[in-house]
């Protein structure tokens, strides 16, 4: 659990949807049965489901997300973000823990017969973790 900043490049890829829980088999029947017993109209379906422990709130209640834009890279650690998900590999106070490959370009292999068109990938999204305070002081 922690505080995660998602930048525009990552948000456009739909990354924030991956934090949602996949309902277990039979969970939808439980949701429908609970809905028939109570009125959720005053608070909205999403917050009602989270309060009842269904869907996203059941597994991500301890994670907080920010999609705040125009935050300078050097200001990230000071904002309290534990993790960054975005298009920048170097951010002061953070270290890359994972990369996500994505489309870079098309390549034509002229030596094959018939010539073949291929997709070349490269790191596009980086997952960074905040360094411990004592590591940042060194």
């Amino acid at each position: 659990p922690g505080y995660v900043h998602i930048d525009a490049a990552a948000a456009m890829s739909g990354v924030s949807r991956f934090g949602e829980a996949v309902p277990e088999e039979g969970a939808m029947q439980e949701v429908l049965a609970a809905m028939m017993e109570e009125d959720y109209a005053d608070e909205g379906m999403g917050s009602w489901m989270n309060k009842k422990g269904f869907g996203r709130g059941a597994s991500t209640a301890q994670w907080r997300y920010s999609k705040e834009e125009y935050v300078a890279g050097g200001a990230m650690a000071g904002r309290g973000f534990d993790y960054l998900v975005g298009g920048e590999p170097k951010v002061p106070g953070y270290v890359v823990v994972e990369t996500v490959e994505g489309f870079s370009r098309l390549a034509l292999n002229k030596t094959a017969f018939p010539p073949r068109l291929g997709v070349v990938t490269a790191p596009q999204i980086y997952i960074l973790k905040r360094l411990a305070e004592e590591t940042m002081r060194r």
Side-chain angles (χ1 to χ4, degrees), residues 83 95-99 126-129:
Y83 297 93
V95 62
V96 174
V97 293
E98 189 68 52
T99 60
Y126 302 87
I127 301 169
L128 298 98
K129 183 177 181 177

Side-chain angles (χ1 to χ4, degrees), residues 5 25 39 58 65 78 82 107 110 112-113 125 127 136:
H5 182 268
E25 189 174 329
D39 181 24
Y65 298 91
D82 299 306
K110 298 177 186 176
F113 185 79
I125 301 294
I127 301 169
M136 289 182 0

